[in-house]
Amino acid sequence: MKGYTEFEFDLPSALLSRLIEVIDAIEPEQLNAANLIEIPEEQGVYQLFLDGRLVYVGKTDADAGLRKRLTRHARKIMHRVALDPARVGFKAVRIFVFTAMDLESDLIRHYGGVKAIDWNGSGFGSNDPGRERDTTKVDPSNFDAVFPIDIDREMAFAIEEGEHAADVLSRLKDALPFTFRFQGAGARSRKPHPDMDAIITQGAAGPMTPRAAVAHIVSALPAAWQATALPGYIILYKEAPREYPQAQVIAISGGN
């Protein structure tokens, strides 16, 4: 037909191809809070590197832009056995027109798939798995198994004379770079357990290790409280004695 033709532009492939060129041209920067200050809280994709080798590909979502996602990862790599945070770098690309295509999956496939990128599919990007997963055995290739939390590393934390246990637990939860979950007043209640609200802890000077801080709190609680360190987080429940796979008991209260 004269004067007419059809043209179909493969936008997803063109976008992916150009994105790969852009992200490959970036020099990685060390993943820490100082280097993330100027990263915009916008939509995009990013990569993480361990000793210069690609280990994670991620993207933003409606709840977290580039700065928030990368800041979360920067905390995740802190206080880990055999993992110096200085070994981890990042690249990030803001995408002004974020299409519906799954850029994260396409990038992962381009760089060799999940099996070639160690931290994708390893639980690295996950939040607190929840109470029902506490008894699940962690796969040896899981991020938390390879780099378990270091509960013996000192941190700037102290316990004031006369503090309620609930207040100390809340402060410690905020200070730790990994999850610290403890039993509340009810299954879905955000209120502290009555034992925590009533107990007054003795003071303890800092700096302290997470192990020492948790043990100090537990020593002041009534009987049956148990603090347990799992590969990726710490839990504190009134359940002693209880065994968990791949875990170590930090302390069990004996009552006063």
Side-chain angles (χ1 to χ4, degrees):
M1 180 188 302
K2 291 184 178 181
Y4 171 81
T5 189
E6 293 183 349
F7 171 71
E8 181 179 358
F9 182 65
D10 188 355
L11 178 60
S13 295
L15 176 59
L16 178 63
S17 178
R18 179 57 182 149
L19 176 59
I20 291 169
E21 291 178 4
V22 170
I23 202 167
D24 283 350
I26 302 173
E27 286 293 325
E29 179 61 279
Q30 185 176 330
L31 182 64
N32 58 42
N35 290 334
L36 296 177
I37 293 175
E38 296 185 7
I39 299 296
E41 183 58 11
E42 301 293 346
Q43 298 299 299
V45 296
Y46 59 91
Q47 297 174 330
L48 300 183
F49 298 82
L50 178 65
D51 299 328
R53 183 171 61 87
L54 179 65
V55 291
Y56 190 78
V57 174
K59 68 175 181 179
T60 57
D61 54 33
D63 296 324
L66 286 170
R67 188 193 309 119
K68 188 173 182 179
R69 291 277 296 181
L70 289 168
T71 298
R72 186 183 302 165
H73 294 327
R75 283 182 61 83
K76 180 88 170 186
I77 62 175
M78 296 173 63
H79 288 212
R80 295 280 172 165
V81 175
L83 179 59
D84 181 351
R87 297 170 57 195
V88 182
F90 76 93
K91 295 181 180 182
V93 178
R94 177 183 179 182
I95 302 178
F96 285 86
V97 180
F98 206 83
T99 69
M101 63 181 289
D102 192 350
L103 288 173
E104 181 182 35
S105 295
D106 288 338
L107 285 172
I108 290 173
R109 279 193 293 270
H110 172 77
Y111 290 104
V114 173
K115 291 184 178 180
I117 308 176
D118 292 349
W119 294 358
N120 280 102
S122 74
F124 174 78
S126 303
N127 296 317
D128 182 3
R131 182 63 169 154
E132 65 278 3
R133 298 292 297 275
D134 291 345
T135 56
T136 302
K137 192 172 183 179
V138 177
D139 187 274
S141 63
N142 187 281
F143 177 82
D144 289 334
V146 178
F147 302 111
I149 57 173
D150 187 351
I151 62 174
D152 294 311
R153 183 173 301 186
E154 286 191 337
M155 55 188 295
F157 189 83
I159 299 174
E160 298 294 330
E161 186 79 26
E163 276 193 279
H164 284 80
D167 295 333
V168 181
L169 287 170
S170 180
R171 288 199 300 109
L172 183 58
K173 180 182 178 71
D174 291 340
L176 290 172
F178 46 80
T179 295
F180 177 29
R181 178 173 11 98
F182 41 86
Q183 185 174 338
R188 297 184 179 180
S189 175
R190 294 187 177 182
K191 294 182 179 180
H193 190 281
D195 287 355
M196 305 296 185
D197 199 35
I199 295 296
I200 304 296
T201 62
Q202 295 181 346
M208 303 180 72
T209 65
R211 183 194 298 274
V214 171
H216 187 84
I217 299 168
V218 172
S219 68
L221 297 177
W225 283 92
Q226 177 176 315
T228 307
L230 298 166
Y233 53 100
I234 296 175
I235 57 175
L236 174 60
Y237 285 89
K238 196 169 187 177
E239 60 180 359
R242 181 169 181 179
E243 294 184 359
Y244 291 90
Q246 300 166 299
Q248 57 175 307
V249 175
I250 297 175
I252 294 178
S253 65
N256 296 319

